[in-house]
């Protein structure tokens, strides 16, 4: 075990015992540690009985014949859950509450301008979902078609997702921070013929020309025949294409206020969500209807303790998995109220989150450490004047939560009363894998906690591929049993799914993360083992950024011959991207003759990445260098680059595999000179 792992495992249990903290729910779902243990054991040893029982939380159109079906060993193939069953996700999230409690608020919208917020009840939501569903059907959308949604955090984003699900189509949400190039790739890969977007987005008074961005992307997507445009500001014009565009809500208003949901098979895809992997091409992770929805429902209920009386505020965007599961499907499948927030945590003041919690009596608040790091800089005094007594659980997601941030969150936001649920999971898992359960499992700062029901963690030796069963242990974090909400495939590329998740460690599902586990079974996540970088909780593949740098042109000519992108620590965003690039000979000549200035080329490269992928992917720095550190077989040693940027030149580690060791001092000089 490394020193690092030992250090992590020695973190003491926080002084407040779990039992001293209130459970997250007045209607306690899991009462205590003994009950958690008993349920957990059953979920692992007899998943069919456990999940068969839990599945009663969903409304089914046809009962399933078998809870879990899979061929061969656990992960020789992706499993099928609730085989033979039929259901509809929008019915589960909307109709059953609209029928029981029509006037209950389903969505609280908090706009960029706090004055412009409003609420939507479950019965209103049903009407809007039904009208949008019929509008999509009228444009030819059928069961199994993919509809792309490119919308900011608005009620219409939720309505669109549920409308797509209602007619058995598959939604593919693209984060509204992505640029035209990234949208185009995802629309083409998913074979979408219909895109839902809006005229404009609003962020800290900035007006984003959303429709213009989509139009640019669609110039290279001839198969898109319909663009539904949510017209948010009827008083101001936006670019229109009369042959393709359909304006909402006008076009939806003529449809009936009810249309029946289309029941689909349990395994029918509910959505695709593109995420980054080790290679350049983003993967369309494909989630299914029943297993995913049940995972979202159960984790929201058992971990956050959400009941229909609660108001959950998840700050994560619907363009990422956190928004899907905990801003849309989890809260609505439980009949609760969800807060949809379009702005930033610091607009108009850095108390925006606390103001929302206070005004709407939020019961569960869920955000990422990157936002907490930002807010902590403003001091805790500004939080004190808000009444946060409604809060019962605090969630954190996307990256490890450092101890000082954890303490700040626990003490000043939770006021020592709320469990910090450090939820560990990923796009592929659909819902939480590991977390503390308020009032049930004791918290250990630094640890994400214990596994959720049905999650059987395994620490695998990266070299032998065998599970390490003694405790404590450190290695690759894998899962050794199928769970209902796991992604079933990569869209149109099941072979890639198998290669990425099932084949690296046969018999296990590979998460991509390293982790350690202590003698009590507490899990400490160590971070990605592949070339995925986590910038402000946004997962980016270094390969994706590298390919946009390599595609960059200046004066019509390619700029770079090769490049390497690495993730480095950043105080606010967790990690930031740094690019090392080698210029083409013509550009080197222009620099040497003074025709081009290196700083301009670096800035141009940053702008190109912003434009190609999105502003959130903008590298912090581009270093122009003569060569990259490569092994004799041509593999770039990114570790060396990371250490050099971190100023740890003395700890570069083993360099004997480098084909040309003299590149190292040259790189150190380049970094110093281009500060
Ligand atoms: O490295 C892990 C990190 O985020 C990755 C998943 O990113 P994504 O698919 O975009 O989903 C983010 C939201 C679930 C993981 O492989 N990660 C996520 N949660 C945590 C975390 N790292 C440490 N602690 C966490 N709680």
């Amino acid at each position: 075990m490394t020193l690092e792992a030992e250090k992590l495992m020695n973190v003491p249990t926080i002084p407040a015992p779990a039992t001293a903290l209130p459970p997250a729910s007045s209607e306690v779902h899991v009462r205590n540690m003994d009950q958690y243990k008993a349920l957990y054991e059953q979920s692992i040893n007899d998943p069919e009985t456990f999940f068969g029982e839990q599945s009663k939380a969903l409304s089914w159109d046809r009962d399933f014949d078998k809870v879990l079906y899979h061929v061969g060993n656990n992960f020789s193939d992706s499993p099928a859950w609730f085989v033979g069953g039929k259901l509809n996700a929008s019915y589960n999230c909307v109709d059953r509450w609209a029928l029981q409690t029509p006037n209950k608020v389903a969505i609280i919208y908090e706009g960029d301008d706090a004055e412009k917020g409003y609420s939507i009840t479950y019965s209103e939501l049903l009407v809007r979902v039904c009208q949008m569903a019929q509008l999509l059907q009228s444009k030819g959308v059928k069961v199994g078609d993919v509809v792309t949604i490119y919308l900011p955090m608005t009620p219409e984003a939720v309505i669109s997702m549920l409308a797509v699900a209602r007619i058995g189509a598959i939604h593919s949400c693209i984060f509204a921070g992505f640029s035209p190039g990234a949208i185009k790739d995802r629309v083409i890969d998913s074979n979408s013929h219909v895109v839902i977007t809006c005229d404009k987005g609003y962020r800290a008074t900035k007006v984003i020309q959303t429709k213009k961005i989509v139009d640019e992307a669609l110039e290279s997507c001839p198969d898109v025949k319909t663009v539904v445009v949510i017209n948010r500001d009827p008083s101001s014009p936006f670019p229109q294409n009369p042959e393709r565009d359909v304006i909402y809500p006008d076009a939806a208003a003529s449809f009936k206020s009810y249309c029946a949901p289309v029941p689909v098979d349990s395994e029918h895809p509910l959505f695709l969500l593109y995420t980054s992997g080790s290679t350049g091409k983003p993967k369309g992770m494909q989630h299914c209807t029943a297993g995913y929805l049940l995972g979202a429902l159960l984790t929201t209920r058992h971990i956050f303790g959400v009941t229909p009386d609660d108001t959950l505020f998840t700050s994560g965007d619907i363009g990422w998995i956190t928004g899907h599961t905990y801003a849309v499907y989890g809260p609505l499948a439980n009949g609760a109220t969800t807060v949809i927030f379009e702005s930033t945590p610091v607009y108009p003041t850095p108390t925006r989150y606390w103001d929302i919690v206070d005004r709407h009596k939020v019961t569960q608040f869920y955000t990422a450490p990157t936002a907490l790091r930002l807010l902590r800089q403003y001091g805790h005094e500004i939080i004190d004047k808000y009444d946060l007594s409604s809060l019962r659980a605090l969630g954190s997601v996307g990256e490890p939560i450092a101890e000082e941030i954890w303490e700040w969150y626990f003490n000043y936001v939770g006021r020592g009363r709320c469990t910090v649920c450090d939820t560990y999971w990923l796009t592929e898992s659909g819902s939480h894998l590991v977390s503390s359960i308020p009032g049930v499992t004791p918290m250990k700062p630094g640890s994400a906690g214990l596994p959720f029901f049905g999650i059987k963690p395994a620490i695998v030796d990266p070299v032998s591929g065998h599970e390490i069963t003694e405790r404590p242990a450190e290695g690759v974090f894998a899962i050794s049993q199928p769970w209902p909400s796991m992604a079933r495939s990569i869209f149109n590329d099941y072979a890639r799914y198998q290669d990425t998740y099932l084949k690296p460690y046969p018999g296990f599902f590979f998460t991509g993360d390293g982790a350690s586990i202590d003698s009590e079974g507490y899990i400490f996540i160590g971070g990605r083992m592949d070339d995925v970088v986590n910038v402000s909780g946004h997962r980016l593949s270094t390969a994706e950024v590298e390919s946009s740098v390599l595609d960059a042109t200046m004066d019509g000519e390619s700029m770079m011959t090769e490049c390497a992108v690495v993730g480095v620590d950043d105080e606010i965003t967790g990690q930031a991207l740094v690019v090392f690039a080698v210029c083409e000979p013509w550009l080197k000549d222009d620099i040497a003759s003074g025709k081009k200035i290196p700083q301009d080329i670096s800035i141009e490269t940053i702008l190109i990445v912003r434009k190609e992928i999105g502003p959130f992917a903008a590298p912090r720095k581009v270093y122009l260098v003569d060569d990259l550190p490569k092994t004799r077989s041509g593999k770039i040693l990114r570790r060396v680059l990371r250490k050099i940027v971190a100023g740890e030149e003395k700890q570069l580690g083993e360099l004997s595999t480098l084909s040309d060791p003299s590149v190292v001092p040259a790189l150190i000089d380049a970094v110093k000179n281009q500060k």
Side-chain angles (χ1 to χ4, degrees):
M1 197 171 48
T2 63
L3 268 178
E4 190 68 8
E6 275 181 38
K7 202 174 83 200
L8 281 172
M9 285 169 192
N10 288 334
V11 176
T13 305
I14 58 135
T19 45
L21 293 173
S25 164
S26 45
E27 185 192 301
V28 182
H29 302 299
V30 183
R31 284 168 203 285
N32 52 45
M33 191 67 168
D34 286 345
Q35 197 196 4
Y36 160 79
K37 279 188 182 153
L39 287 169
Y40 179 74
E41 292 294 310
Q42 190 198 27
S43 74
I44 298 299
N45 299 331
D46 186 3
E48 298 226 20
T49 304
F50 180 83
F51 285 109
E53 187 58 33
Q54 298 292 328
S55 71
K56 292 179 185 157
L58 293 175
S59 288
W60 297 84
D61 291 281
R62 184 191 185 280
D63 209 357
F64 44 87
D65 304 314
K66 178 133 181 66
V67 174
L68 172 60
Y69 173 77
H70 60 108
V71 181
N73 80 13
N74 277 342
F75 282 121
S76 54
D77 208 343
S78 91
W81 286 86
F82 310 110
V83 182
K86 278 188 183 287
L87 74 170
N88 181 280
S90 100
Y91 179 87
N92 273 277
C93 292
V94 188
D95 303 40
R96 52 181 183 159
W97 315 117
L99 300 177
Q100 279 175 38
T101 48
N103 299 326
K104 227 199 111 195
V105 171
I107 299 173
I108 295 173
Y109 168 64
E110 270 285 328
D112 198 44
D113 177 348
E115 302 289 307
K116 295 208 170 132
Y118 56 88
S119 299
I120 297 180
T121 64
Y122 271 102
S123 62
E124 289 165 343
L125 182 62
L126 180 58
V127 173
R128 295 194 201 183
V129 168
C130 286
Q131 289 185 325
M132 178 66 99
Q134 293 167 84
L135 174 62
L136 294 173
Q137 275 174 328
S138 76
K139 293 292 159 191
V141 179
K142 295 182 300 301
V143 173
D145 289 350
V146 179
V147 174
T148 292
I149 298 174
Y150 183 77
L151 284 172
M153 282 296 275
T154 49
E156 287 78 10
V158 183
I159 291 164
S160 302
M161 290 164 79
L162 294 167
V164 170
R166 191 165 190 87
I167 57 176
I170 305 165
H171 57 74
S172 169
C173 292
I174 302 176
F175 174 56
F178 273 115
S179 297
I183 302 171
K184 176 199 81 183
D185 291 346
R186 287 155 175 77
V187 167
I188 291 176
D189 187 82
S190 65
N191 193 24
S192 290
H193 292 193
V194 175
V195 174
I196 307 178
T197 188
C198 63
D199 48 356
K200 297 179 178 73
Y202 305 93
R203 225 173 142 72
T205 67
K206 206 172 132 202
V207 179
I208 298 134
Q209 299 298 332
T210 312
K211 177 62 169 35
K212 201 163 156 265
I213 297 171
V214 169
D215 280 350
E216 198 181 323
L218 297 187
E219 277 169 19
S220 328
C221 304
D223 288 339
V224 173
K225 303 287 185 237
T226 304
V227 178
V228 177
V229 190
I230 317 285
N231 189 6
R232 305 182 67 195
D233 179 7
S235 67
S236 112
F238 60 91
Q240 291 197 32
N241 175 344
E243 274 159 39
R244 204 183 52 189
D245 297 351
V246 177
I247 310 302
Y248 178 99
D250 313 10
S254 57
F255 290 99
K256 286 187 298 181
S257 50
Y258 178 79
C259 71
V262 176
V264 295
D265 287 334
S266 299
E267 284 291 313
H268 183 75
L270 177 61
F271 66 85
L272 310 181
L273 188 55
Y274 282 84
T275 186
S276 300
S278 294
T279 59
K281 195 169 163 268
K283 306 175 277 197
M285 295 313 307
Q286 183 178 314
H287 278 283
C288 75
T289 304
Y292 168 80
L293 196 59
L294 187 65
L297 185 154
L298 293 179
T299 47
T300 306
R301 178 178 290 185
H302 292 301
I303 292 176
F304 288 150
V306 167
T307 72
D309 296 331
D310 286 335
T311 299
L312 173 58
F313 174 15
T314 295
S315 73
D317 194 282
I318 53 114
W320 308 105
I321 192 72
T322 306
H324 278 63
T325 308
Y326 299 103
V328 182
Y329 287 108
L332 300 181
N334 278 291
T337 301
T338 185
V339 176
I340 298 292
F341 176 50
E342 189 176 358
S343 190
T344 83
V346 289
Y347 179 76
T349 66
T351 54
R352 188 74 195 270
Y353 283 167
W354 324 128
D355 175 51
I356 293 174
V357 171
D358 187 349
R359 272 189 294 117
H360 299 297
K361 301 294 161 235
V362 169
T363 40
Q364 288 87 2
F365 174 64
Y366 194 24
T367 194
T370 183
L372 298 173
R373 281 193 296 270
L374 177 70
L375 295 175
R376 182 170 168 262
Q377 294 181 336
Y378 296 93
H380 64 85
E381 295 78 8
I382 55 171
I383 314 177
D384 295 345
K385 67 177 189 298
Y386 291 93
D387 177 6
L388 305 185
S389 60
S390 55
L391 284 172
R392 295 200 313 268
L394 298 174
S396 169
V397 63
E399 48 178 319
I401 176 163
E403 203 165 331
E404 68 278 9
I405 304 294
W406 189 97
E407 274 170 6
W408 181 84
Y409 200 24
F410 180 72
N411 289 325
Y412 299 116
V413 182
R415 304 200 171 139
R417 293 179 311 101
C418 301
T419 295
V420 174
C421 302
D422 176 7
T423 60
Y424 164 73
W425 58 300
L426 44 153
T427 306
E428 292 83 339
S429 73
S431 57
H432 298 152
L433 293 171
V434 179
S435 173
S436 296
I437 300 183
V440 178
T441 56
M443 298 175 278
K444 285 189 192 186
S447 166
L450 297 172
F452 186 63
F453 303 136
I455 305 302
K456 190 171 180 201
I459 301 289
V460 176
D461 182 323
V463 181
S464 71
H466 294 144
E467 183 173 358
I468 309 170
T469 47
E470 61 263 23
R471 297 288 180 259
E474 186 198 11
V476 169
F477 190 67
I479 300 167
S480 54
Q481 243 173 244
W483 67 103
S485 68
M486 60 184 275
R488 299 295 197 264
S489 185
I490 290 173
F491 187 63
N492 275 344
D493 202 349
Y494 184 60
R496 188 174 172 204
Y497 172 91
Q498 286 185 303
D499 289 346
T500 313
Y501 304 106
L502 310 185
K503 287 194 180 156
Y505 300 98
F508 300 98
F509 186 98
F510 176 43
T511 61
D513 287 300
S516 50
I517 191 162
D518 72 8
S519 50
E520 292 176 299
Y522 277 76
I523 294 157
F524 297 77
I525 302 301
R528 301 289 306 188
M529 302 184 77
D530 49 16
D531 293 322
V532 168
V533 180
N534 198 325
V535 180
S536 298
H538 298 150
R539 188 166 146 185
L540 283 164
S541 101
T542 52
E544 198 176 348
V545 180
E546 279 163 12
S547 76
S548 72
V549 172
L550 292 177
D551 288 347
T553 56
M554 191 179 245
D555 308 334
E557 288 195 66
S558 164
M559 291 168 71
M560 307 298 178
T561 49
E562 51 181 359
C563 75
V565 174
V566 292
V568 297
D569 288 347
D570 185 279
E571 233 173 80
I572 298 298
T573 57
Q575 284 189 296
L577 296 169
V578 169
V579 179
F580 286 83
V582 180
C583 296
E584 291 278 3
W586 71 267
L587 197 49
K588 279 186 184 163
D589 291 346
D590 276 6
I591 293 171
S593 67
K595 260 168 93 185
K596 293 257 176 344
I597 300 166
Q599 284 90 329
D600 291 349
I601 293 166
S602 299
I603 292 168
E604 182 66 21
T605 311
I606 294 173
L607 292 176
I608 286 168
V609 177
R610 270 182 79 96
K611 184 162 183 301
E612 277 306 304
I613 303 181
F616 65 96
R620 184 167 79 185
K621 181 85 194 162
V622 175
Y623 293 108
L624 303 181
V625 296
D626 289 328
D627 206 351
L628 297 171
K630 276 178 273 180
T631 62
R632 274 178 275 273
S633 59
K635 189 174 177 304
I636 296 169
L637 283 184
R638 289 154 202 284
R639 160 178 66 83
V640 171
L641 296 172
R642 274 192 290 267
K643 292 272 180 199
I644 292 176
V645 182
E648 296 168 5
E649 304 94 79
K650 302 242 160 12
Q651 301 145 42
L652 293 181
E654 183 55 51
L655 294 178
S656 61
T657 51
L658 280 179
S659 63
D660 175 11
S662 73
V663 19
V664 173
L667 283 165
I668 295 173
D669 280 350
V671 168
K672 284 205 175 117
N673 296 335
Q674 296 177 43
K675 268 272 176 264

